[in-house]
Every structure is written in structure tokens, then in C-alpha cells.
Amino acid sequence: MNRTWISCWHILFLLFSSAVPGHTCRFSKPWQPWFTATAPSVKSVPGQPYLEEPYQNICFQAFLTTLQSPKSSDMDDITFCMLLQNALKGIQSLLNGGKMKLTQTDELGALLAVLKKTMFHGLPGLNIEMPTVLYPTPLPQYDGRPPIKPQQTESSTSRPAVNKRKKSKVKAKKIQQGEEEEEESSGEREVAPVTGSGRLNPHKGDTQCPSSLGVSSLPLAGSGAAGKDQVSSSFSSSSWKRVSSSESDYSDAEGGMQSKVRSYQAKVRQGALACFLSTIKSIEKKVLYGYWSAFVPDTPELGSPQSVSLMTLTLKDPSPKTRACALQVLSAILEGSKQFLSVAEDTSDHRRAFTPFSVMIASSIKELHRCLLLALVAESSSQTLTQIIKCLANLVSNSPYNRLKLSLLTKVWNQIKPYIRHKDVNVRVSSLTLLGAIVSTHAPLPEVQLLLQQPCSSGLSNSNSATPHVSPPDWWKKGPSGPFLEEAAVSSPKVSSEPCWLIRLCISIVVLPKEDACSGSDAGSTGASTYEPFPLRLEALQVLAHLARGYFSMTQVYLMELGEVICKCLGEADPSVQLHGAKLLEELGTGLIQQYKPDSSIAPDQRVPVSLVVMFWTVMLNGPLPRALQNSEHPTLQASACDALSSILPEAFSNLLSDRQILCITMLLGLNDSKNRLVKAATSRALGVYVLFPCLRQDVIFVADTANAILMSLQDKSLNVRAKAAWSLGNLTDTLIVNMETPDPSFQEEFSGLLLLKMLRSAIEASKDKDKVKSNAVRALGNLLHFLQPSHIEKPRFAEIIEEAIQALISTVLIEAAMKVRWNACYAMGNVFKNSALPLGTALWTSQAYNALTSVVTSCKNFKVRIRSAAALSVPGKREHYGSVDQYAQIWNALVTALQKSEDTTDFLEFKYCASLRTQICQALIHLLSLASASDLSCIKETLELNGDMVQSYILQFLKSGTERDDTGAPHSPQERDQMVKTALEHISSVQALAGDTAKRAIMGFLEDILAVYFDSSGSQAALLGLTNR
């Protein structure tokens, strides 16, 4: 029999043979070694299958029962701790190696309840009672049982003073043997006693943190002790997993029984936290957040004690390793919580009868900030300090500061600044990570904008026990100088007289030699002898990239200086530094493009001058950027360099020297033949950007070369390459349409018809690909069919391909694909209708195209797709393009039906598009009226007799909503809209109706009534309401 099964049967035999029916299982010391041997045996063995699910459940229940059982009277504390450790190891092995899934609420709740109890096991001054099962609820869960009064034993009293001189004289062998104890004691804290059921009093035994850090009004949960701690940052190597009988070989001189018990209790707490971390990874986040209030602190009510949570361990546990473990668990909970926390809303309205869930979450976020900042100033262990800062970074990245009151980020900002120059390099790296999170969350935030404009030395000159190594405030002011800086200073726009200290800091970290050696695991890495350690430099480059993305108005002042930083990074030997330099270049280029977009709110005098942008890119192209593009040994760097090259400002590209322009184009076309998919995808995208440049789009040779390169990439095996190529093909066809609208017909005449055929065939094939490719393939098809000239359409070889292309669009409109795909297909169909040279109205595919669009406009769940299909139906400019009378009647009736159903949706997210949908349908109906023939009037009259009041009320809303803007290019002013109705009325009055036909008079009366009510009401809502009710 499998060894794993034998071990499981061992434990089950021991569990159930020692249990009395109807009573809780209790364990005595003789059975503990069997249990200890069982926990590791549930781990997966290489080459052997995992434990089957039934046996997993049996073992899980056995371990859970063990954790729930109280200590028997004949079992000593150390044996009981070892028993708990092995039970926790067993559950963790089931979750990690056995891939066990916790799907039952009771099962998960029971595990979380026992983990919460065990993670506080033996914590001095704390004794909590937990319910058997925790249930998901947004409210804190209280245990109704009275608390057990803590006994006055040696283990619960304050820790004795440690004689460090004696400890330093212990022999090396004994130091190694007692390493765990010394590690736990080196960062111990005095712990405030906890009373009540799961509640602690945060004010007992607290001290006040230094006022220089700006948090003097907050109670400090514990004071940091001096000394250096060696704390493991991952659970995988935690020493609590390595429990053996040899660990009980302690002498009284090394701490005695009390110290040994404390060490084992700390290992139990660490084991519980490690098991909790595995539990978090094995369940969905939406399930986990149901238990948020059980593990994350909330602001206590006035006069109430603080709830027991993970922050209790972070602030009160004497073991630095346990504090680090608790912070890792909290970070895992916070990671990916942005959607859950997005509901938070801070409000000062306290007169409500209940507290909304959004306010509760906001309160929890504020309490997390408060507690983590307290832990920050109290912590003395560098490794645990790193975990605190990482946890803060996770909190900042996921918190909705745009919905919270100001000052939260300011407190974090002011308190983290001294740690930028901490003696430990890991603390410095995590501090930069936190600053990067602040400048990237919901950017740009006015609060962060003000923080960036603070005086340069603000907060950097503090020196205290928490930050033992802070340099003078002028250390960062040194900066690189170059030949371009003087000219840049003259050309740069004057945005702010106060320099941004964070940008100067990051620049100095990247380019300046380090002043002294830093401690930490990364300080001695190769290549870091002259400059700061690589992790620190990379993090500084990432912060610069975040600033360029979110706060470009402040970054642009340093454009040329950052250009020199980028050149230095790209010229280094380390690929990671080069890669981050290329990423920074891309962000700067993107920021410049955003400034010059037509809808940019940046005033022209506040933009970076084009001449300076040209100078910047000249430096880049004359520097190491071309070498990075040709570095085939590092394809990731090549791809990033391609992305950077695609971020050049079009206005600047046209002003570059011709040899620099040719260099860019030649390198991109050459890299498109790369065998690496990352490089090929980046190159395809870059070509799609360049083909839109005004100075290149009328160059027939460049457009043709780009088209051939893109068509080749569309055949690639990589989906990512094909998706980028399809996007670029869509851009290239947009260029064809733009060139078609220019007065000069030379481009259309010179562009190859064979290449057009190739593009059509490739786009048709791509329209059958995955959605990521299909959405842009149908866009390209619509543009290509719009671009076709009469000379192309007359040729027989084009007839078949045109039919095939239109059928591809029709099928894409109707299929249940991603809504973006269907939206693009409807948009493409509208483009097809714009080509008057196509036989629209007489071709067989006409009715199929209209049937597809009318089906979508009446029944599609997505209102944006309905809007686009209604827009496509209003494109044809002649009555004959709508086909027969029956076809016209079908389109008219479908639009009226769509107007009736414009509010029928079960998805509340679609309601915001209702007004735009009605606007577009009304525009389409008026357009059809302005083209109607005498034969069409009877069907129009029949519809108006049935639904005239409804149609009239919506058209009146359409006329009065001239300030609304939709995504279809509908007229925006009331004058343009009422002119459409007048045009339709004039057309109907000019139609030669048959003798005795009353339809014409009825329709004219309908339109005249609309105009009369509209002009008489003069925007009166009362008149509109009366008309609607009538």
C-alpha cells in the first residue's frame, strides 16, 4: 500500500481510537510522534499521484479536529505546540501539494476560525475565544461566550531583560543551536494586555511616536528595540516547518523553559499564518473578501477596544519573524483588492440610522493606514520593516483615494521619506516602490501634485532610531550635466519654479556613484561597485516612468536631463537597466504625444516646444537607442526599444533630419523579419503607428512596404503577433481613407490593385481568427471596401473577393462574439455603404446586410452595438440604396421597434446609453423620411397610426437634446437637428403621391405637429410632458 495512505490510516486510527463518542478528541504525548510523522506524508511525492480526494478530506478533518481540540491536562506546552505545528503543516501540505479546494462554506469557515485562534496562540497578554465557524459577512463577528480569564503564569508575564553581554559570550556551537530563540528575542516588544473576547485595548502600555515624523497624536503600539534581526521573508523556508526532538535540547543558561515555550508558541503562530497564506491562494478573492472584517482592522467606536486582527500581530507580537509573516498575509489579502475597495466612500454624514458598507470599507482603509504607519515607526528589524513598506505599497495601489478624504497619502508620504536613505538597501528599494505606488494610483491626484511640489529637503533631514542612517538634506541635489542642458533650460516651458525633489532623487540614484556601502542582500551584487545596487536603480527608473505617465507636467521640465539618463542606461551592459531605460523613454514619448492631441487641455505655451522634442529625439537616435534595437541577444530589450521608437511625436518626426527618418523606418522594416515573437509584435505595432504620420501616409512606397510587412505578420503562428498586425492593418486602411479624401488623386492611382487584393484576402482570413484579431480585421475590411475605386470594382477578379468580404462582415455582425468585434463589424458595414460605386440596393448581399443590421438594432444586448448598427442604417444617401419597398419597410419598422425597446434591458450598465441610442434611432428615422418615395408612404403611415405618439415624443426629445454628444457623429446643436426635420418635411411635401392617397398628408401633419410643439414649447418641459401623456 502507498506510504501516504499508511500514514493517513495511522493518524486516523490514533484519532478515532482515542476519541470518546460524543466528546472532543484529546491527545496525549505518546501519540504525538505518530502525528508528527503523518503531516509531511500528505505532501506529494515526485512520481506518485496526489492523495485521492476522499483521503484528502479525511486527513483534513483529522488535522482540523486536532487544531480545534484543547490541550489535555497531561500534555506539556511544548508537546502541544509541536502537535499544533504538525497539524498546520498537514493542512498546508494538502492545500499546496494536494491542490485541495475549499468549496464548502462551513469547511472554509471552520478552517479560518481555527487559524485566527491559532495565529494568536501564546501571544503574551492575549486570550481570545473564537466561534467554531466563521461565516462571510461585511460586519465584524463577535463571539458570544465570555472570555477566559488569563492565568497569571510565567508565560504570560512580561519578558525578562536580556543580558546581551552574556549572550554574546555563548560559544558558537550553542549560538547556532539556539539561533531560533535569539532571533525571536532580538526584536521583541513589550505587549499590552488584551481583555475581552477578541478585543484589545490599544492604549495600555503604549508610547508616543516621535513628533518629528508627524504622527505624535497617534498611540504607538510598541517601541522598537535595538539590534539587528535576521528574518526570513518567505514562508517556504520558515524554521517552524523543521520541528524535531533535537530542538528541545536547551540549557537553562540559554533561556530556560520559559524562553523555549515562547519560541515554540511563536512557531505555532508562524505556522498558522503560513497555512492562512496557502488558504488565501487556494480560494477565490471574492470568497476571501467575505471574511474581510474578521482579519482586517476597522476603526473602533468611541470608547470601544480595538478588534483583534492581523494588525494586532504586526503591532504586538514580540517575534519579528511572526510580524513579517502577518504582514505577508495582509499583503496577500490586499493584492488584487482594487475592485472590492473601490466601493469605499468617506463621508462626514454621521446622522444616518445605519453605517453604509461603503463607509465601513473607507473606515477600514483609514485604520489600515494608521496601524501600518504605527508599525513603521516602531519596527527595528530591517527585514520586517521591508514587509511593512511593501504592505503599505499594496494598500496604496488598491485604495480609491479619489473617493476618500485628503491627508491619507500625505501621512504616508511624509513618513516614508526618511527611509529612502535607510542603511538597508532592501528598505530603500521598498521605499521607492511605495513612492512609485503613490504617484501611480489614480494619477494625477491634486494631493500628490502638492506633495511633489514640496520644498526639496522637506522630511529628508529627520534622524531618529527608526531611521539610523540618513544623509544630509543636500545629498541628492547633485545632478548630471551635459551639453544639452543649457539649451534645454532656455527652451523648456516654465511650469513650476520649485523643482520636483522626487525626480532629482531618482536621477541621482540612477546616475551618481554611491556615497558609501549599504547593507542588505543586494548590496554586494556584481556590477554595483561604483553605482547604487541594481534593484535600487531599477526601482528609481520605474518611479521616473510612473511620474512621466501620471505627472508629465512636472516631468517635462527635466526632459533633456532625463534624456541623458536614458542614454546612460541604454549604454550600460546590464540588460535590465537598458530595459528600464527604454520603458522610461516610451513613457516620455507618450506624454509628449498626449500634449499635442487635438483634445488636449494643455495650453500651447505650457507644452514642450516641438524644437525641443526634435532635439530630444535627435539625442536618442544619435545615442545608444539604435544599438538597443539591434541587440538580438536580448529580444525583450529590442521589443521595448521598438515601443519607445513608436512613441515619437509625429510633428517632431517630420522635422527630423532625413537620414534619421530613414534610420527609423529601415530598422523597423528590418526587425519585422525577426524570428522572435516579442520583437515581431512590437515592430508590427510600431509600423501601424508610423503609417498614420502625416509626413509618411502619402508616401506610396512606404505604405506599400508597410502593408507587405503587416500582411506577412498576419500569417505568424503567435496570436499576439497577429493581433498587433491586425491593429496595424486597420490603421493602414485608415490612412487609405484619409488619402482618398485629399484633392490629389495620385495616391489612389498609384496604389497597387494587386496589393489591394492581397490585403482583402488577408483581412477576410483574419476575420475568422480569434476575437483579438477579428475586431481589427473587420475594421480593415470596411475601410478597404470603402476605398475601392470604380476601376477596381469593374474588374472581374474583384467581384468575387468583394462578395466574400461583405459576407464575412455580415456573419461577424450576427455571431455571438465579443461586443467590440460586433461593434467594429457594424462600423465597417457603415463604411461599406459609403462607397457609392458598390452596387448597394441591387446586389444580392444588400438584403442580407440590412437584415443583419436590423436584427442587431432590435435585439442585441449591448446598446453601444445597437447605436452603431442604427448609425450604419442611416448612412446610405439615396433611396435606391435601400432596395425594394419591402426592404425599406422592414428597416423602418425595425427602427420603430428598436425605439420602443430602447429601455428594455436587464443590465443596469446599459441604461446610460439609452439616450444615445434613441438619439441615433431618431436620426435614422428622419433620414429615411427625407429619402422616402411615394411607394414607401403607406407603410410609414401605418406605423405612425400605431406608434405615432411614442415616435413623436422621442423625436421631440431628440430635438431638445442638442447639447448631448454621442459616439456616432450626430448633429450637436438644436438648429442642426430641427433642420433635419424641416428637410424631411420639405421632401415629403415634394413627393408626387397617387390620387386619393392620404398617407402623404398624414405624414406631413405628423412632422408639422412636431415642429409646432417644439417651437411653441421653447424648451418647456411641461409642454413636452403633456405631449407625451397625450
Side-chain angles (χ1 to χ4, degrees), residues 613-629:
V613 182
V614 173
M615 186 193 310
F616 173 79
W617 279 105
T618 301
V619 172
M620 295 298 105
L621 294 171
N622 290 337
L625 180 58
R627 288 199 302 273
L629 286 163

mmCIF file with all atom_site columns, all heavy atoms in Angstrom, residues 613-629:
data_model
loop_
_atom_site.group_PDB
_atom_site.id
_atom_site.type_symbol
_atom_site.label_atom_id
_atom_site.label_alt_id
_atom_site.label_comp_id
_atom_site.label_asym_id
_atom_site.label_entity_id
_atom_site.label_seq_id
_atom_site.pdbx_PDB_ins_code
_atom_site.Cartn_x
_atom_site.Cartn_y
_atom_site.Cartn_z
_atom_site.occupancy
_atom_site.B_iso_or_equiv
_atom_site.pdbx_formal_charge
_atom_site.auth_seq_id
_atom_site.auth_comp_id
_atom_site.auth_asym_id
_atom_site.auth_atom_id
_atom_site.pdbx_PDB_model_num
ATOM 1   N N   . VAL A 1 613 ? 11.509 68.878 -28.605 1.00 0.00 ? 613 VAL A N   1
ATOM 2   C CA  . VAL A 1 613 ? 11.216 67.460 -28.814 1.00 0.00 ? 613 VAL A CA  1
ATOM 3   C C   . VAL A 1 613 ? 12.104 66.892 -29.915 1.00 0.00 ? 613 VAL A C   1
ATOM 4   O O   . VAL A 1 613 ? 12.612 65.765 -29.805 1.00 0.00 ? 613 VAL A O   1
ATOM 5   C CB  . VAL A 1 613 ? 9.725  67.251 -29.156 1.00 0.00 ? 613 VAL A CB  1
ATOM 6   C CG1 . VAL A 1 613 ? 9.412  65.771 -29.325 1.00 0.00 ? 613 VAL A CG1 1
ATOM 7   C CG2 . VAL A 1 613 ? 8.830  67.857 -28.084 1.00 0.00 ? 613 VAL A CG2 1
ATOM 8   N N   . VAL A 1 614 ? 12.301 67.671 -30.979 1.00 0.00 ? 614 VAL A N   1
ATOM 9   C CA  . VAL A 1 614 ? 13.195 67.242 -32.065 1.00 0.00 ? 614 VAL A CA  1
ATOM 10  C C   . VAL A 1 614 ? 14.611 67.052 -31.536 1.00 0.00 ? 614 VAL A C   1
ATOM 11  O O   . VAL A 1 614 ? 15.291 66.055 -31.845 1.00 0.00 ? 614 VAL A O   1
ATOM 12  C CB  . VAL A 1 614 ? 13.174 68.265 -33.218 1.00 0.00 ? 614 VAL A CB  1
ATOM 13  C CG1 . VAL A 1 614 ? 14.231 67.926 -34.264 1.00 0.00 ? 614 VAL A CG1 1
ATOM 14  C CG2 . VAL A 1 614 ? 11.796 68.316 -33.863 1.00 0.00 ? 614 VAL A CG2 1
ATOM 15  N N   . MET A 1 615 ? 15.056 67.975 -30.710 1.00 0.00 ? 615 MET A N   1
ATOM 16  C CA  . MET A 1 615 ? 16.389 67.872 -30.131 1.00 0.00 ? 615 MET A CA  1
ATOM 17  C C   . MET A 1 615 ? 16.496 66.609 -29.249 1.00 0.00 ? 615 MET A C   1
ATOM 18  O O   . MET A 1 615 ? 17.499 65.880 -29.298 1.00 0.00 ? 615 MET A O   1
ATOM 19  C CB  . MET A 1 615 ? 16.674 69.120 -29.298 1.00 0.00 ? 615 MET A CB  1
ATOM 20  C CG  . MET A 1 615 ? 18.100 69.202 -28.757 1.00 0.00 ? 615 MET A CG  1
ATOM 21  S SD  . MET A 1 615 ? 18.245 70.485 -27.478 1.00 0.00 ? 615 MET A SD  1
ATOM 22  C CE  . MET A 1 615 ? 17.485 71.863 -28.308 1.00 0.00 ? 615 MET A CE  1
ATOM 23  N N   . PHE A 1 616 ? 15.448 66.364 -28.469 1.00 0.00 ? 616 PHE A N   1
ATOM 24  C CA  . PHE A 1 616 ? 15.431 65.193 -27.587 1.00 0.00 ? 616 PHE A CA  1
ATOM 25  C C   . PHE A 1 616 ? 15.572 63.894 -28.388 1.00 0.00 ? 616 PHE A C   1
ATOM 26  O O   . PHE A 1 616 ? 16.409 63.040 -28.083 1.00 0.00 ? 616 PHE A O   1
ATOM 27  C CB  . PHE A 1 616 ? 14.124 65.199 -26.788 1.00 0.00 ? 616 PHE A CB  1
ATOM 28  C CG  . PHE A 1 616 ? 13.887 63.966 -25.954 1.00 0.00 ? 616 PHE A CG  1
ATOM 29  C CD1 . PHE A 1 616 ? 14.518 63.798 -24.734 1.00 0.00 ? 616 PHE A CD1 1
ATOM 30  C CD2 . PHE A 1 616 ? 13.020 62.974 -26.409 1.00 0.00 ? 616 PHE A CD2 1
ATOM 31  C CE1 . PHE A 1 616 ? 14.291 62.668 -23.967 1.00 0.00 ? 616 PHE A CE1 1
ATOM 32  C CE2 . PHE A 1 616 ? 12.793 61.840 -25.656 1.00 0.00 ? 616 PHE A CE2 1
ATOM 33  C CZ  . PHE A 1 616 ? 13.430 61.687 -24.426 1.00 0.00 ? 616 PHE A CZ  1
ATOM 34  N N   . TRP A 1 617 ? 14.769 63.761 -29.450 1.00 0.00 ? 617 TRP A N   1
ATOM 35  C CA  . TRP A 1 617 ? 14.813 62.526 -30.232 1.00 0.00 ? 617 TRP A CA  1
ATOM 36  C C   . TRP A 1 617 ? 16.087 62.424 -31.072 1.00 0.00 ? 617 TRP A C   1
ATOM 37  O O   . TRP A 1 617 ? 16.554 61.325 -31.374 1.00 0.00 ? 617 TRP A O   1
ATOM 38  C CB  . TRP A 1 617 ? 13.577 62.419 -31.117 1.00 0.00 ? 617 TRP A CB  1
ATOM 39  C CG  . TRP A 1 617 ? 12.395 61.902 -30.348 1.00 0.00 ? 617 TRP A CG  1
ATOM 40  C CD1 . TRP A 1 617 ? 11.326 62.611 -29.910 1.00 0.00 ? 617 TRP A CD1 1
ATOM 41  C CD2 . TRP A 1 617 ? 12.205 60.562 -29.907 1.00 0.00 ? 617 TRP A CD2 1
ATOM 42  N NE1 . TRP A 1 617 ? 10.465 61.797 -29.218 1.00 0.00 ? 617 TRP A NE1 1
ATOM 43  C CE2 . TRP A 1 617 ? 10.980 60.526 -29.203 1.00 0.00 ? 617 TRP A CE2 1
ATOM 44  C CE3 . TRP A 1 617 ? 12.929 59.378 -30.032 1.00 0.00 ? 617 TRP A CE3 1
ATOM 45  C CZ2 . TRP A 1 617 ? 10.474 59.363 -28.638 1.00 0.00 ? 617 TRP A CZ2 1
ATOM 46  C CZ3 . TRP A 1 617 ? 12.437 58.215 -29.466 1.00 0.00 ? 617 TRP A CZ3 1
ATOM 47  C CH2 . TRP A 1 617 ? 11.228 58.213 -28.781 1.00 0.00 ? 617 TRP A CH2 1
ATOM 48  N N   . THR A 1 618 ? 16.657 63.556 -31.437 1.00 0.00 ? 618 THR A N   1
ATOM 49  C CA  . THR A 1 618 ? 17.946 63.516 -32.136 1.00 0.00 ? 618 THR A CA  1
ATOM 50  C C   . THR A 1 618 ? 19.018 62.927 -31.229 1.00 0.00 ? 618 THR A C   1
ATOM 51  O O   . THR A 1 618 ? 19.856 62.118 -31.665 1.00 0.00 ? 618 THR A O   1
ATOM 52  C CB  . THR A 1 618 ? 18.338 64.926 -32.589 1.00 0.00 ? 618 THR A CB  1
ATOM 53  O OG1 . THR A 1 618 ? 17.327 65.442 -33.466 1.00 0.00 ? 618 THR A OG1 1
ATOM 54  C CG2 . THR A 1 618 ? 19.663 64.914 -33.330 1.00 0.00 ? 618 THR A CG2 1
ATOM 55  N N   . VAL A 1 619 ? 19.002 63.346 -29.957 1.00 0.00 ? 619 VAL A N   1
ATOM 56  C CA  . VAL A 1 619 ? 19.945 62.784 -28.984 1.00 0.00 ? 619 VAL A CA  1
ATOM 57  C C   . VAL A 1 619 ? 19.735 61.278 -28.858 1.00 0.00 ? 619 VAL A C   1
ATOM 58  O O   . VAL A 1 619 ? 20.694 60.494 -28.818 1.00 0.00 ? 619 VAL A O   1
ATOM 59  C CB  . VAL A 1 619 ? 19.780 63.479 -27.615 1.00 0.00 ? 619 VAL A CB  1
ATOM 60  C CG1 . VAL A 1 619 ? 20.619 62.778 -26.552 1.00 0.00 ? 619 VAL A CG1 1
ATOM 61  C CG2 . VAL A 1 619 ? 20.170 64.950 -27.708 1.00 0.00 ? 619 VAL A CG2 1
ATOM 62  N N   . MET A 1 620 ? 18.470 60.853 -28.810 1.00 0.00 ? 620 MET A N   1
ATOM 63  C CA  . MET A 1 620 ? 18.172 59.421 -28.666 1.00 0.00 ? 620 MET A CA  1
ATOM 64  C C   . MET A 1 620 ? 18.676 58.626 -29.877 1.00 0.00 ? 620 MET A C   1
ATOM 65  O O   . MET A 1 620 ? 19.311 57.576 -29.733 1.00 0.00 ? 620 MET A O   1
ATOM 66  C CB  . MET A 1 620 ? 16.658 59.198 -28.525 1.00 0.00 ? 620 MET A CB  1
ATOM 67  C CG  . MET A 1 620 ? 16.025 59.777 -27.267 1.00 0.00 ? 620 MET A CG  1
ATOM 68  S SD  . MET A 1 620 ? 16.658 59.063 -25.754 1.00 0.00 ? 620 MET A SD  1
ATOM 69  C CE  . MET A 1 620 ? 17.689 60.411 -25.191 1.00 0.00 ? 620 MET A CE  1
ATOM 70  N N   . LEU A 1 621 ? 18.405 59.143 -31.073 1.00 0.00 ? 621 LEU A N   1
ATOM 71  C CA  . LEU A 1 621 ? 18.767 58.402 -32.279 1.00 0.00 ? 621 LEU A CA  1
ATOM 72  C C   . LEU A 1 621 ? 20.259 58.452 -32.566 1.00 0.00 ? 621 LEU A C   1
ATOM 73  O O   . LEU A 1 621 ? 20.799 57.562 -33.230 1.00 0.00 ? 621 LEU A O   1
ATOM 74  C CB  . LEU A 1 621 ? 17.979 58.953 -33.471 1.00 0.00 ? 621 LEU A CB  1
ATOM 75  C CG  . LEU A 1 621 ? 16.461 58.723 -33.404 1.00 0.00 ? 621 LEU A CG  1
ATOM 76  C CD1 . LEU A 1 621 ? 15.751 59.485 -34.506 1.00 0.00 ? 621 LEU A CD1 1
ATOM 77  C CD2 . LEU A 1 621 ? 16.130 57.238 -33.492 1.00 0.00 ? 621 LEU A CD2 1
ATOM 78  N N   . ASN A 1 622 ? 20.931 59.483 -32.085 1.00 0.00 ? 622 ASN A N   1
ATOM 79  C CA  . ASN A 1 622 ? 22.387 59.544 -32.231 1.00 0.00 ? 622 ASN A CA  1
ATOM 80  C C   . ASN A 1 622 ? 23.103 58.793 -31.119 1.00 0.00 ? 622 ASN A C   1
ATOM 81  O O   . ASN A 1 622 ? 24.321 58.612 -31.169 1.00 0.00 ? 622 ASN A O   1
ATOM 82  C CB  . ASN A 1 622 ? 22.862 61.006 -32.227 1.00 0.00 ? 622 ASN A CB  1
ATOM 83  C CG  . ASN A 1 622 ? 22.447 61.732 -33.492 1.00 0.00 ? 622 ASN A CG  1
ATOM 84  O OD1 . ASN A 1 622 ? 22.197 61.107 -34.525 1.00 0.00 ? 622 ASN A OD1 1
ATOM 85  N ND2 . ASN A 1 622 ? 22.371 63.051 -33.419 1.00 0.00 ? 622 ASN A ND2 1
ATOM 86  N N   . GLY A 1 623 ? 22.343 58.394 -30.107 1.00 0.00 ? 623 GLY A N   1
ATOM 87  C CA  . GLY A 1 623 ? 22.916 57.696 -28.959 1.00 0.00 ? 623 GLY A CA  1
ATOM 88  C C   . GLY A 1 623 ? 22.810 56.180 -29.087 1.00 0.00 ? 623 GLY A C   1
ATOM 89  O O   . GLY A 1 623 ? 22.853 55.624 -30.190 1.00 0.00 ? 623 GLY A O   1
ATOM 90  N N   . PRO A 1 624 ? 22.624 55.510 -27.956 1.00 0.00 ? 624 PRO A N   1
ATOM 91  C CA  . PRO A 1 624 ? 22.641 54.035 -27.952 1.00 0.00 ? 624 PRO A CA  1
ATOM 92  C C   . PRO A 1 624 ? 21.313 53.380 -28.332 1.00 0.00 ? 624 PRO A C   1
ATOM 93  O O   . PRO A 1 624 ? 21.222 52.152 -28.308 1.00 0.00 ? 624 PRO A O   1
ATOM 94  C CB  . PRO A 1 624 ? 23.006 53.712 -26.500 1.00 0.00 ? 624 PRO A CB  1
ATOM 95  C CG  . PRO A 1 624 ? 22.508 54.869 -25.716 1.00 0.00 ? 624 PRO A CG  1
ATOM 96  C CD  . PRO A 1 624 ? 22.584 56.072 -26.597 1.00 0.00 ? 624 PRO A CD  1
ATOM 97  N N   . LEU A 1 625 ? 20.268 54.142 -28.654 1.00 0.00 ? 625 LEU A N   1
ATOM 98  C CA  . LEU A 1 625 ? 18.982 53.525 -28.999 1.00 0.00 ? 625 LEU A CA  1
ATOM 99  C C   . LEU A 1 625 ? 19.086 52.611 -30.216 1.00 0.00 ? 625 LEU A C   1
ATOM 100 O O   . LEU A 1 625 ? 18.550 51.487 -30.184 1.00 0.00 ? 625 LEU A O   1
ATOM 101 C CB  . LEU A 1 625 ? 17.929 54.622 -29.229 1.00 0.00 ? 625 LEU A CB  1
ATOM 102 C CG  . LEU A 1 625 ? 16.528 54.127 -29.592 1.00 0.00 ? 625 LEU A CG  1
ATOM 103 C CD1 . LEU A 1 625 ? 15.966 53.211 -28.522 1.00 0.00 ? 625 LEU A CD1 1
ATOM 104 C CD2 . LEU A 1 625 ? 15.582 55.301 -29.831 1.00 0.00 ? 625 LEU A CD2 1
ATOM 105 N N   . PRO A 1 626 ? 19.747 53.004 -31.316 1.00 0.00 ? 626 PRO A N   1
ATOM 106 C CA  . PRO A 1 626 ? 19.877 52.068 -32.451 1.00 0.00 ? 626 PRO A CA  1
ATOM 107 C C   . PRO A 1 626 ? 20.585 50.771 -32.063 1.00 0.00 ? 626 PRO A C   1
ATOM 108 O O   . PRO A 1 626 ? 20.216 49.694 -32.559 1.00 0.00 ? 626 PRO A O   1
ATOM 109 C CB  . PRO A 1 626 ? 20.689 52.877 -33.480 1.00 0.00 ? 626 PRO A CB  1
ATOM 110 C CG  . PRO A 1 626 ? 20.395 54.300 -33.169 1.00 0.00 ? 626 PRO A CG  1
ATOM 111 C CD  . PRO A 1 626 ? 20.270 54.354 -31.685 1.00 0.00 ? 626 PRO A CD  1
ATOM 112 N N   . ARG A 1 627 ? 21.586 50.841 -31.170 1.00 0.00 ? 627 ARG A N   1
ATOM 113 C CA  . ARG A 1 627 ? 22.263 49.616 -30.738 1.00 0.00 ? 627 ARG A CA  1
ATOM 114 C C   . ARG A 1 627 ? 21.319 48.715 -29.962 1.00 0.00 ? 627 ARG A C   1
ATOM 115 O O   . ARG A 1 627 ? 21.369 47.489 -30.090 1.00 0.00 ? 627 ARG A O   1
ATOM 116 C CB  . ARG A 1 627 ? 23.484 49.972 -29.874 1.00 0.00 ? 627 ARG A CB  1
ATOM 117 C CG  . ARG A 1 627 ? 24.637 50.576 -30.647 1.00 0.00 ? 627 ARG A CG  1
ATOM 118 C CD  . ARG A 1 627 ? 25.946 50.474 -29.866 1.00 0.00 ? 627 ARG A CD  1
ATOM 119 N NE  . ARG A 1 627 ? 25.861 51.125 -28.572 1.00 0.00 ? 627 ARG A NE  1
ATOM 120 C CZ  . ARG A 1 627 ? 26.101 52.415 -28.362 1.00 0.00 ? 627 ARG A CZ  1
ATOM 121 N NH1 . ARG A 1 627 ? 26.424 53.196 -29.384 1.00 0.00 ? 627 ARG A NH1 1
ATOM 122 N NH2 . ARG A 1 627 ? 26.036 52.927 -27.141 1.00 0.00 ? 627 ARG A NH2 1
ATOM 123 N N   . ALA A 1 628 ? 20.457 49.324 -29.154 1.00 0.00 ? 628 ALA A N   1
ATOM 124 C CA  . ALA A 1 628 ? 19.481 48.522 -28.415 1.00 0.00 ? 628 ALA A CA  1
ATOM 125 C C   . ALA A 1 628 ? 18.503 47.843 -29.369 1.00 0.00 ? 628 ALA A C   1
ATOM 126 O O   . ALA A 1 628 ? 18.089 46.698 -29.159 1.00 0.00 ? 628 ALA A O   1
ATOM 127 C CB  . ALA A 1 628 ? 18.727 49.405 -27.416 1.00 0.00 ? 628 ALA A CB  1
ATOM 128 N N   . LEU A 1 629 ? 18.133 48.535 -30.451 1.00 0.00 ? 629 LEU A N   1
ATOM 129 C CA  . LEU A 1 629 ? 17.227 47.943 -31.442 1.00 0.00 ? 629 LEU A CA  1
ATOM 130 C C   . LEU A 1 629 ? 17.876 46.770 -32.163 1.00 0.00 ? 629 LEU A C   1
ATOM 131 O O   . LEU A 1 629 ? 17.176 45.848 -32.604 1.00 0.00 ? 629 LEU A O   1
ATOM 132 C CB  . LEU A 1 629 ? 16.812 49.007 -32.464 1.00 0.00 ? 629 LEU A CB  1
ATOM 133 C CG  . LEU A 1 629 ? 15.798 50.048 -31.984 1.00 0.00 ? 629 LEU A CG  1
ATOM 134 C CD1 . LEU A 1 629 ? 15.781 51.249 -32.910 1.00 0.00 ? 629 LEU A CD1 1
ATOM 135 C CD2 . LEU A 1 629 ? 14.405 49.422 -31.891 1.00 0.00 ? 629 LEU A CD2 1
#
